[in-house]
Amino acid sequence: IEPQSNTVLTFGGSASVTLAPGATITSDELSLAVVAFAKLAITLAFDDAPPSDITGHPGSRTTSYLQPGAEVGALEMSAAQATDHWYFLSEVDVLTDARARAIVTLGDSLTDGRGSITNENNRWPNLLSRRLLARADTALLSVLNQGAGGNRVLEQGLGVPALARFERDVLGPPGVRWAVILEGINDLGAAPPA
């Protein structure tokens, strides 16, 4: 990590937090200037071993590093094991220009990142975001990727169906004005033959 950015997140003023199974929490606000498309390193440590049932994002196409110990401030992790999977973290909220608005991309693995290159951040929602930023008239539009591999519209796939997560993932985030929905391929693939 960049030494000058090494900052401790707090939760209600505390440097640690205890979560009940299935619960979520948002950290306190952190003053950290970032530019568009910057890569962030967020390190978590556990008092005990991580729980056996953990949230994860197998379609992230982004490398995480796992290492025993609690050296969350270390600039390098020499014993870390790489895995192309996100764990625990679901989103990063950013304060920006009051005129900014967002577009949600709700979809399955094609939106999630299927076909993109690991650690290149070249999923189609990333490419859309870069195109929007490049134009003066759309530079204040951000893209929120709500893709989930194996997702289906009405039925359970590898996660919560799109219809069941629509309010949380599309209507819930602040500043959202538009949605692009790319769903259905898993529903078609799982349909019984005619």
Side-chain angles (χ1 to χ4, degrees):
I1 63 173
E2 298 293 335
Q4 67 274 15
S5 69
N6 195 358
T7 308
V8 175
L9 290 173
T10 58
F11 301 86
S14 175
S16 66
V17 65
T18 302
L19 287 177
T24 62
I25 191 162
T26 301
S27 73
D28 298 331
E29 185 178 311
L30 171 67
S31 179
L32 177 68
V34 294
V35 297
F37 310 111
K39 293 183 179 181
L40 299 177
I42 300 171
T43 308
L44 306 171
F46 298 89
D47 286 341
D48 299 315
S52 58
D53 293 329
I54 61 174
T55 58
H57 187 67
S60 67
R61 275 57 176 198
T62 303
T63 304
S64 293
Y65 300 91
L66 307 175
Q67 175 174 300
E71 297 180 37
V72 293
L75 300 182
E76 294 185 26
M77 298 178 138
S78 58
Q81 177 182 3
T83 180
D84 294 330
H85 193 110
W86 278 329
Y87 297 99
F88 301 105
L89 185 68
S90 63
E91 65 189 59
V92 176
D93 296 326
V94 185
L95 294 174
T96 187
D97 190 300
R99 298 168 297 161
R101 295 295 177 258
I103 300 168
V104 172
T105 58
L106 181 74
D108 52 33
S109 61
L110 297 174
T111 300
D112 192 26
R114 176 85 173 158
S116 63
I117 301 167
T118 299
N119 295 322
E120 292 296 318
N121 292 316
N122 61 353
R123 306 161 193 88
W124 77 258
N126 295 90
L127 300 177
L128 173 61
S129 185
R130 290 179 188 281
R131 291 184 72 172
L132 293 170
L133 185 64
R135 295 177 46 120
D137 59 337
T138 57
L140 291 177
L141 294 178
S142 62
V143 177
L144 310 180
N145 187 339
Q146 295 289 10
N151 201 222
R152 294 173 66 188
V153 178
L154 300 174
E155 303 294 327
Q156 187 79 19
L158 295 180
V160 178
L163 188 60
R165 62 190 185 96
F166 188 85
E167 185 172 344
R168 178 194 71 194
D169 293 350
V170 176
L171 303 179
V176 171
R177 292 297 180 269
W178 301 275
V180 177
I181 300 174
L182 179 59
E183 287 273 6
I185 195 160
N186 295 310
D187 298 272
L188 294 173

